[in-house]
Amino acid sequence: MDTLDQPTALLPGDVRMPLLGFGTWQATGEAGHAAVLAALDAGYRHVDTATMYGNEAEVGRAVRDSGLRREDVFVTTKLPPDRVGRERETIESSLRALGLDHVDLWLVHWPPSAASDSIPVWRELIAARDEGLTRAVGVSNYGTAQLDELIQATGEVPAVNQIRWGPSLYDRRRHAEHRDRGVVLEGYSPFKTTDLSDPVLTRIAAAHDVSPAQVVLRWHVDHGIVVIPKSVTPERIRANADIWGFSLTAEEMRDIDALGG
């Protein structure tokens, strides 16, 4: 598939976020740089990092070394919980490390430990977006009530909520709560939370001549959920990007949803 044809989620401000992204947690140093370079070479056009990961410099270098145009790679980073009150300083530091003049998405990595900080932090992210330091802003690891608190206080809906997600965690109600609010659901740890030897997944994988891991990724995409698998193994990185040659039937989607109990 031409990378420009990959399905995307539409964020406020006409920002298009590829549904398939590359996660970089624990991918540091030269191995991290090589993994991101391999991912971009395999067709990923969305890379997810965070200040907390300590690899923004390697991610940024890989984006430059890929030879791709900056506008063709969607880059996310995140504000760590210990940087409350230092939001502007943190995004500027992230941009220096990445070697970029803006990121495409900046997330609050975890809800602040003091609930009273939640809205001030969110206002600082909005200010960074309005100044062009990031194209969109969102959150990570937030519950629905926490999303509502931000929306009610500021009138600004988080573009994205990045949470742990996978077939065994499928929650139709939570999925609908995001959709109803216009918040894009982004799932991390798709394999860590999934039994890839589950008979439902192996049966569906065999029917499409793909792996259970590829079925899990396609399930996210067919739901319109962003997914960010991570790997530092080139073969697995390529396999995880190769999910465009098949799609799941409505019945298969229902069977996988049912793994969520």
Side-chain angles (χ1 to χ4, degrees):
M1 170 181 275
D2 186 300
T3 52
L4 297 176
D5 295 333
Q6 285 187 24
T8 56
L10 182 60
L11 309 185
D14 203 31
V15 175
R16 294 205 163 269
M17 180 182 192
L19 290 183
L20 177 67
F22 184 69
T24 66
W25 182 55
Q26 295 180 321
T28 54
E30 281 309 310
H33 170 261
V36 175
L37 207 49
L40 294 170
D41 185 58
Y44 288 89
R45 292 297 178 265
H46 164 189
V47 182
D48 179 272
T49 183
T51 297
M52 225 179 197
Y53 298 170
N55 63 7
E56 288 172 319
E58 289 80 6
V59 168
R61 186 157 58 89
V63 171
R64 289 190 297 281
D65 292 350
S66 71
L68 294 165
R69 297 183 310 167
R70 167 65 186 97
E71 59 266 33
D72 291 337
V73 184
F74 187 99
V75 179
T76 299
T77 193
K78 310 182 195 80
L79 174 82
D82 62 356
R83 298 294 180 95
V84 168
R86 293 186 290 155
E87 296 83 5
R88 177 64 185 249
E89 176 194 328
T90 302
I91 186 69
E92 289 178 346
S93 171
S94 286
L95 293 175
R96 278 195 302 275
L98 287 160
L100 301 175
D101 62 4
H102 71 276
V103 287
D104 298 285
L105 179 64
W106 193 30
L107 304 178
V108 183
H109 204 151
W110 291 89
S113 51
S116 59
D117 288 331
S118 197
I119 291 159
V121 167
W122 181 233
R123 290 193 193 281
E124 288 297 322
L125 264 75
I126 293 164
R129 181 202 63 196
D130 291 348
E131 289 176 49
L133 301 176
T134 180
R135 295 171 70 214
V137 287
V139 296
S140 182
N141 301 298
Y142 274 56
T144 303
Q146 292 169 312
L147 294 175
D148 285 343
E149 182 189 13
L150 301 184
I151 297 165
Q152 284 157 13
T154 65
E156 291 271 5
V157 177
V160 172
N161 186 21
Q162 185 184 117
I163 59 177
R164 241 166 120 85
W165 199 258
S168 66
L169 298 177
Y170 185 67
D171 180 335
R172 186 181 307 280
R173 180 175 168 186
R174 196 165 188 203
H175 188 193
E177 286 169 348
H178 283 76
R179 202 168 45 235
D180 292 348
R181 287 158 179 76
V183 178
V184 170
L185 180 57
E186 178 177 13
Y188 69 83
S189 296
F191 305 136
K192 193 171 280 188
T193 58
T194 302
D195 175 7
L196 293 174
S197 63
D198 186 284
V200 170
L201 297 177
T202 56
R203 168 176 58 78
I204 293 171
H208 293 280
D209 195 23
V210 297
S211 71
Q214 288 168 316
V215 167
V216 168
L217 298 177
R218 188 72 214 200
W219 170 80
H220 284 76
V221 167
D222 285 352
H223 263 311
I225 293 170
V226 180
V227 62
I228 47 170
K230 70 180 190 67
S231 175
V232 292
T233 311
E235 304 75 41
R236 197 164 296 144
I237 289 169
R238 282 194 297 274
N240 288 346
D242 185 18
I243 60 168
W244 311 118
F246 73 105
S247 59
L248 302 173
T249 66
E251 184 181 2
E252 289 168 339
M253 291 290 287
R254 282 195 298 272
D255 288 346
I256 298 170
D257 291 354
L259 297 176

